[in-house]
Amino acid sequence: MRILVVGNGAREDALSWKLAQSPNCEALFASPGNAGTASRGTNWGVSATDAKRLVERALAEHVGLCVIGPETALAAGVADKMRAAGISTFGAARSAARLESSKIFAKRFMERHEIPTAYFRAVHSLEQGEKALSDWQGAVVVKADGLAAGKGVVVCETPNDARAILRDWYGSAGVPGGGIDVLLEAKLEGREVSVFALLDGRAGVILGAACDYKRAGDGDTGPNTGGMGAYSPPATFPHDLLDHVRERILAPVMAGLEAEGEEYRGALYLGLMWNEEEGASVLEFNARFGDPETQVLMPRFTGDLPLLLKSCADGILDPSTISIGRQACVGVVLATREYPVRSTPVDGLPASIDLPAGCTAFWGTSDVANGRVTSPGGRVLTVSALGDDIESARQRVYGAVRSLGPVVGDRLTFRSDIASEATLR
Ligand code: AMP
Ligand code: GLY
């Protein structure tokens, strides 16, 4: 099978790494691709949102499976156009990707299909926001409706704090992402976990679960980021977590998609809040795999990824082909020092990085030439390690990260408490 991976993050590098290991992967392409995917196949350099050029090239290269990583490509309709051209595609259609690209759409979908989630109100102006907050009890999470690259959510402890955010957003700052629609949501208490399901248009099967670390600094301090590390499995959750999620969340989601005529073929990311009293509630849907969660799920996956993703794309997913090994995996992100406030470009990093057995490095957005990597900054690398349990995977990954010291110098930084006992959630 000739396979195209759309995107250029460490998530797409991890997918490419696993896809390329299969004897069923005859040729691997990535677009635009990064320094990691260049070592696993051929980068095209065509933007992930340029559906027309991606389709033309995919037809010319006889691509038999297109795997779409980022939400921007889904929202740009790349999956729809690939399918229209007759190419098997793993990635949600633009209409289904609204579960991620519009938070209000997602909440209304959950309301229609009785999927557990926090109380909410949708507002479109400061006036409506003030009205909704006038009788609000307790903490409020203020969310911009559209895709805002992780910058559109503010957790406010009081309605007054939420009012200040709304004044700012409807005033000079503008609503993050550029729209006018804002969601006000009750704050949920509990522990967060990300669950990943694979959908083939009629059935949905859980692939696995992971916990990620969104704040920049140790001890969950500093600004929110795209994710600074992750581990899988979520060791401190009840052993029947996935059964619970399958029954209470995934089943009504699948019924809802069917009732609304959505043929969803791709990954569905369930961002969940868990507490003992109420079980799991949905914080967010993403119409894709997570980053850095994919970098800890792929090393644990022991099946044939091209066949699995192709079966989803073709509507013939066989749940018995999903196999996850017993080992645990911990991933640590190395980012430029001022991330996420500022991106500082780095260059001259070596394209091939030697790591101990059981460890793998996945590149974020980057270019490679003459064996040297240039990155615009931000999340530059994820290093992942397998181990018999979370603790041994953690020891191993930090050993590998520290061994990179002479290579990355003081240009990259990382959290030192990913999956530490104190931060296991
Ligand atoms: P979202 O993009 O909607 O997942 O929100 C980003 C982060 O904000 C989540 O990972 C949570 O940490 C936090 N968050 C969002 N919604 C809520 C909520 N209703 N209650 C508590 N925390 C929330
Ligand atoms: N790790 C969070 C995300 O991929 O959205």
Side-chain angles (χ1 to χ4, degrees):
M1 199 184 320
R2 295 166 68 79
I3 306 170
L4 166 65
V5 175
V6 175
N8 63 349
R11 165 185 54 210
E12 287 75 30
D13 192 19
L15 291 167
S16 301
W17 171 76
K18 192 43 108 178
L19 288 163
Q21 287 170 21
S22 160
N24 290 302
C25 179
E26 191 188 311
L28 184 74
F29 308 106
S31 199
N34 65 23
T37 61
S39 71
R40 317 190 196 286
T42 305
N43 288 348
W44 289 353
V46 176
S47 159
T49 54
D50 189 342
K52 186 168 176 288
R53 284 183 62 210
L54 287 172
V55 169
E56 280 166 10
R57 187 86 185 253
L59 288 171
E61 297 279 6
H62 305 290
V63 164
L65 172 66
C66 170
V67 178
I68 300 178
E71 65 276 20
T72 47
L74 300 169
V78 175
D80 308 68
K81 299 223 165 67
M82 286 283 172
R83 283 193 196 103
I87 298 170
S88 290
T89 298
F90 180 87
R94 190 198 329 230
S95 58
R98 281 180 300 168
L99 285 177
E100 171 166 7
S101 61
S102 166
K103 288 180 187 293
I104 294 172
F105 175 85
K107 292 295 275 193
R108 295 209 166 114
F109 176 87
M110 289 188 261
E111 194 174 47
R112 284 195 294 278
H113 302 292
E114 297 179 13
I115 297 160
T117 190
Y119 168 81
F120 75 100
R121 301 284 294 275
V123 303
H124 314 288
S125 66
L126 179 59
E127 203 188 354
Q128 287 181 353
E130 301 260 16
K131 193 155 173 269
L133 289 170
S134 64
D135 56 355
W136 196 282
Q137 303 290 321
V140 193
V141 186
V142 183
K143 300 183 174 185
D145 181 57
L147 295 177
K151 298 191 173 60
V153 176
V154 186
V155 179
C156 300
E157 289 310 319
T158 66
N160 251 343
D161 295 349
R163 232 170 250 129
I165 298 293
L166 289 182
R167 284 196 193 115
D168 194 32
W169 284 7
Y170 285 118
S172 54
V175 176
I180 58 157
D181 302 327
V182 172
L183 186 68
L184 302 172
E185 204 176 273
K187 183 180 171 203
L188 296 171
E189 301 298 336
R191 297 183 290 147
E192 284 183 50
V193 59
S194 313
V195 174
F196 296 89
L198 303 178
L199 277 56
D200 76 348
R202 43 177 192 108
V205 179
I206 291 177
L207 173 67
C211 291
D212 81 336
Y213 290 74
K214 289 217 168 79
R215 306 290 285 270
D218 279 2
D220 285 335
T221 54
N224 260 322
T225 71
M228 293 300 290
Y231 62 89
S232 178
T236 62
F237 283 80
H239 68 276
D240 59 353
L241 172 74
L242 296 186
D243 293 332
H244 173 96
V245 172
R246 196 173 290 118
E247 213 172 285
R248 296 273 306 273
I249 313 268
L250 188 57
V253 166
M254 297 311 302
L257 289 170
E258 190 182 342
E260 300 193 10
E262 284 295 351
E263 219 184 50
Y264 191 124
R265 298 180 179 195
L268 178 65
Y269 168 145
L270 307 169
L272 305 175
M273 186 71 91
W274 165 273
N275 67 53
E276 303 300 332
E277 296 75 46
E278 291 156 69
S281 301
V282 176
L283 288 176
E284 63 167 340
F285 292 121
N286 292 314
R288 53 173 174 81
F289 285 120
D291 182 342
E293 291 96 329
T294 305
Q295 295 92 297
V296 296
L297 278 177
M298 286 302 115
R300 299 189 63 224
F301 179 74
T302 53
D304 188 303
L305 194 62
L307 293 187
L308 178 61
L309 301 189
K310 176 94 164 64
S311 72
C312 289
D314 293 345
I316 48 169
L317 169 62
D318 170 3
S320 72
T321 57
I322 294 187
S323 61
I324 294 284
R326 299 188 67 84
Q327 285 194 302
C329 191
V330 177
V332 175
V333 171
L334 285 84
T336 46
R337 299 199 81 81
E338 292 172 301
Y339 173 72
V341 178
R342 212 166 282 110
S343 283
T344 317
V346 281
D347 57 16
L349 298 170
S352 102
I353 293 180
D354 278 336
L355 291 175
C359 301
T360 313
F362 301 112
W363 286 100
T365 305
S366 51
D367 285 308
V368 62
N370 304 322
R372 295 278 140 187
V373 176
T374 308
S375 150
R379 294 188 293 168
V380 176
L381 269 178
T382 307
V383 178
S384 296
L386 287 166
D388 288 339
D389 52 27
I390 297 277
E391 185 50 31
S392 58
R394 175 180 138 74
Q395 301 269 352
R396 194 181 261 175
V397 76
Y398 277 109
V401 166
R402 296 209 164 90
S403 77
L404 294 179
V407 175
V408 301
D410 61 3
R411 293 179 293 173
L412 302 185
T413 181
F414 56 88
R415 272 185 70 159
S416 64
D417 62 348
I418 303 298
S420 71
E421 203 174 319
T423 66
L424 283 187
R425 295 174 272 213

